[in-house]
Amino acid sequence: MNLSKITGVHYRIKIGLIVGLFIGMTIISCGGDKTEDASASNAGSKGIGPVKSVNLGALDQSMVDRGKKQFEAKCSACHKFEEKVVGPALQDVTLRRTPEWIMNMILNPIEMTQKDPIGQELLGEHLTQMTFQNIKEEEAREILEYFRKMDLK
């Protein structure tokens, strides 16, 4: 048996694997993040639900405190700020979504994931329907205020 033939075959296999890996990584990296691309195109979306307009002023600390309590009671089992749990991580959500969209998602999650393009993408990505928590509009506004505070950190 010729040892140089075996070494040459192994060399060609290694080169083939390296080239294949390089091509695969190039294809994956060029694909981009579909969720963020589509989300960027819907950045001004207000979503679907009762909230048509939100007037944001200076941060209201009493609303932040109430929103934090609401979040801890009704949202924290599925959401954290820094990491995905069941639902998506919420860090910088107020920079990615409009206040109206955030509140409509809190108030109207079923219809949002059925009809809103961003909501549909989130459902497709996380494969879990956000549940209706029977939150009132005022409570959703307080949760939004808590999100605003968290995004200032």
Side-chain angles (χ1 to χ4, degrees):
M1 181 180 254
N2 188 348
L3 193 55
S4 64
K5 275 187 173 181
I6 293 172
T7 305
V9 170
H10 284 120
Y11 178 75
R12 284 185 286 225
I13 290 172
K14 285 180 184 178
I15 294 296
L17 287 172
I18 291 170
V19 169
L21 184 61
F22 176 75
I23 291 171
M25 289 177 66
T26 302
I27 291 170
I28 289 170
S29 68
C30 289
D33 185 353
K34 292 178 187 174
T35 301
E36 288 305 314
D37 290 345
S39 297
S41 67
N42 292 309
S45 173
K46 293 185 178 190
I48 299 165
V51 180
K52 306 300 181 206
S53 176
V54 177
N55 294 318
L56 299 176
L59 207 60
D60 180 332
Q61 189 58 48
S62 63
M63 283 181 73
V64 170
D65 295 340
R66 291 190 304 272
K68 180 178 181 182
K69 287 179 185 174
Q70 289 291 335
F71 178 82
E72 289 172 349
K74 297 186 177 183
C75 310
S76 65
C78 296
H79 294 282
K80 305 289 180 231
F81 283 88
E82 302 82 22
E83 62 184 311
K84 175 193 181 318
V85 182
V86 175
L90 296 174
Q91 188 169 13
D92 295 331
V93 69
T94 61
L95 305 177
R96 295 188 311 269
R97 309 282 185 257
T98 64
E100 296 84 1
W101 190 95
I102 293 168
M103 288 181 63
N104 281 324
M105 188 64 176
I106 293 168
L107 295 167
N108 192 29
I110 308 294
E111 191 173 12
M112 284 284 285
T113 56
Q114 291 173 348
K115 298 178 182 176
D116 180 76
I118 299 169
Q120 291 172 335
E121 289 175 17
L122 289 169
L123 179 60
E125 180 180 343
H126 298 281
L127 303 175
T128 304
Q129 173 63 57
M130 183 170 151
T131 59
F132 176 70
Q133 294 291 323
N134 199 27
I135 294 175
K136 296 176 182 68
E137 193 167 326
E138 179 181 332
E139 295 167 330
R141 178 62 183 88
E142 293 166 349
I143 293 169
L144 172 64
E145 198 73 355
Y146 174 57
F147 289 173
R148 290 177 64 207
K149 171 76 176 208
M150 293 300 291
D151 286 346
L152 290 175
K153 292 184 176 185

